Amino acid sequence: MNPVDRRKFLSDGIRTVGTVALAGAAGVLVGRTGSAEPMVWQLDPDKCIACTNCATKCVLDVSAVKCLNCFDMCGYCDICTGYFEMGYTALDTAAENQLCPTGAIVRRFIEERSGQRFYEYTIDVPLCIGCGKCVKGCALMNGSLYMQVEHDRCLDCNECAIAIACPTQAFYRIPAAQTEIMKRKAIAALRSRAQRTLQSAGGDAARRREATELLARLEQQQRWRAEQQQLDDSAGLQAASPGEALRDE
């Protein structure tokens, strides 16, 4: 082979390899941006112990993890252990009586029945820093307050700093379409409401649609939990198998 033919052969070969490499890279990009569903960070509130890492480990100045209140679980308590400091001096909204360090929980009187006063507790999300103090306090009662990652605030880092620091490994990557991970008790409470709505909707198409959509959302939550349980069980079996092999020997 003369020098000219050899250079042409090498040049053609390099172009061919480059074309294959570019095609492969394009395939990966298509897989990531086209067929693959976007994944987001969420935490399992049933595993959360309100350790305060969500407030201090997030890469954002103010954590993307916020408190939520599932009103279907809430007792609307006058003495709310998620709202009041243990040493409160009065059942009012004074700052010294509030458990939340930023005053992110809004207490609003709803009604009085049989001598009992009922209040609604909502979260002023921009003020919430994700410290979990209210969640830990509410766990002493109905447990309606819980932590969750806000999609519109989270940067969806490849490695979430909070997830790495989480002592109970409560953080998961889930499809964005799933929206969230609910508490098991929240699923039960919301299902009860949806079923009651369906029963009382009659010919009200809008109410029936609302209840049906909620039930579909809850089914999605249960499927995720069932799949996760299978993965956990499989991981447990794989971890146990080396020990079993040693015993068999």
Side-chain angles (χ1 to χ4, degrees), residues 45-181:
D46 285 312
K47 287 188 173 184
C48 174
I49 58 172
C51 65
T52 75
N53 278 341
C54 287
T56 59
K57 300 298 184 181
C58 186
V59 297
L60 296 173
D61 290 337
V62 179
S63 179
V65 178
K66 306 294 181 181
C67 176
L68 304 177
N69 191 5
C70 179
F71 295 108
D72 290 80
M73 293 173 61
C74 184
Y76 296 84
C77 308
D78 188 0
I79 303 176
C80 172
T81 54
Y83 179 84
F84 287 110
E85 280 278 10
M86 294 301 292
Y88 66 86
T89 57
L91 297 178
D92 58 33
T93 58
E96 63 268 19
N97 296 325
Q98 295 182 41
L99 185 64
C100 179
T102 62
I105 304 179
V106 180
R107 184 177 193 249
R108 184 170 70 90
F109 174 70
I110 300 296
E111 63 177 346
E112 185 171 346
R113 292 199 311 263
S114 304
Q116 286 189 304
R117 294 167 64 83
F118 295 90
Y119 290 82
E120 181 182 75
Y121 298 90
T122 56
I123 311 301
D124 188 342
V125 175
L127 291 180
C128 177
I129 59 173
C131 68
K133 289 184 177 180
C134 61
V135 173
K136 189 171 287 187
C138 185
L140 301 173
M141 304 291 281
N142 293 38
S144 66
L145 296 175
Y146 62 92
M147 311 297 291
Q148 194 50 272
V149 183
E150 290 281 309
H151 284 172
D152 59 347
R153 290 175 171 80
C154 180
L155 299 179
D156 284 319
C157 307
N158 288 331
E159 286 189 303
C160 172
I162 313 175
I164 293 170
C166 180
T168 59
Q169 297 182 324
F171 280 74
Y172 294 86
R173 294 282 277 173
I174 67 170
Q178 184 179 317
T179 308
E180 63 187 321
I181 301 172

